[in-house]
Amino acid sequence: MPKAIVFLAQGAEEMEFSITYDVLVRGGVDVTSVYVPGADEPLSPADGLVVASRGVKLGVDTTLEALTKSGHAGDYDAYIIPGGAGGANTLSKDPTVLQILRDSHANGKIVGMICAGSLAALEARVGLGGPITSHPSVKDKLASCTYAHGLDGSSNLLL
């Protein structure tokens, strides 16, 4: 059974996390949500719950600290970064997450970012050789990339 990680940080976009997690599970993928704390946050979220961008509370399966200590961070087939400004900023600044993305990309694994999550692609320097999209609020930060829009002018996942 294929395995995927969907990273999760405070301020992540609810739908980009939950729909991705749900669709992967429905597709037969063993999915693990991995909590990544911000600079001044505890290593585990209070009560095991992350407060997403609209106030919805989301549970986590494990923490980044536990994942890295287990030695199994590279054992997954796909690594997904959801958007949401708060979560995307945390994920795109975490050196451990960025190294996991670089290693996974170098090993031919699926590395995907959604919306503002594209900031992690920029910081990890992965997937930048082709077109990239993002939430319009971070488009200027991706100026060095080949920026692409959806057919309707929207920004969608594309790596």
Side-chain angles (χ1 to χ4, degrees), residues 11-12 14 50-58:
E14 289 86 341
V50 169
V51 179
S53 65
R54 305 294 187 271
V56 174
K57 294 180 181 177
L58 302 167

Side-chain angles (χ1 to χ4, degrees), residues 131-136 139 146-156 158:
I132 191 168
T133 70
S134 70
H135 188 274
K139 179 182 177 182
T146 304
Y147 198 82
H149 291 279
L151 295 176
D152 61 358
S154 65
S155 299
N156 298 303
L158 181 64

Side-chain angles (χ1 to χ4, degrees), residues 79-94:
Y79 300 81
I80 312 298
I81 304 283
N89 283 328
T90 296
L91 296 172
S92 68
K93 292 177 183 170
D94 187 281

Side-chain angles (χ1 to χ4, degrees), residues 16-159:
E16 293 169 13
F17 170 80
S18 61
I19 292 171
T20 300
Y21 194 108
D22 179 63
V23 168
L24 289 170
V25 168
R26 290 175 191 237
V29 177
D30 179 14
V31 182
T32 302
S33 63
V34 176
Y35 172 71
V36 179
D40 298 326
E41 295 173 349
L43 297 177
S44 296
D47 302 322
L49 300 173
V50 169
V51 179
S53 65
R54 305 294 187 271
V56 174
K57 294 180 181 177
L58 302 167
V60 298
D61 297 317
T62 192
T63 65
L64 183 61
E65 178 187 41
L67 176 71
T68 56
K69 282 185 179 180
S70 75
H72 294 290
D75 294 351
Y76 293 80
D77 303 295
Y79 300 81
I80 312 298
I81 304 283
N89 283 328
T90 296
L91 296 172
S92 68
K93 292 177 183 170
D94 187 281
T96 303
V97 169
L98 298 177
Q99 190 60 53
I100 289 170
L101 297 177
R102 282 190 287 273
D103 293 346
S104 302
H105 186 264
N107 289 316
K109 304 215 177 168
I110 296 169
V111 177
M113 288 80 175
I114 304 168
C115 210
S118 295
L119 289 176
L122 180 65
E123 296 301 324
R125 308 300 303 161
V126 299
L128 302 179
I132 191 168
T133 70
S134 70
H135 188 274
S137 66
V138 299
K139 179 182 177 182
D140 291 343
K141 293 180 181 180
L142 299 166
S144 63
C145 304
T146 304
Y147 198 82
H149 291 279
L151 295 176
D152 61 358
S154 65
S155 299
N156 298 303
L157 173 68
L158 181 64
L159 284 183

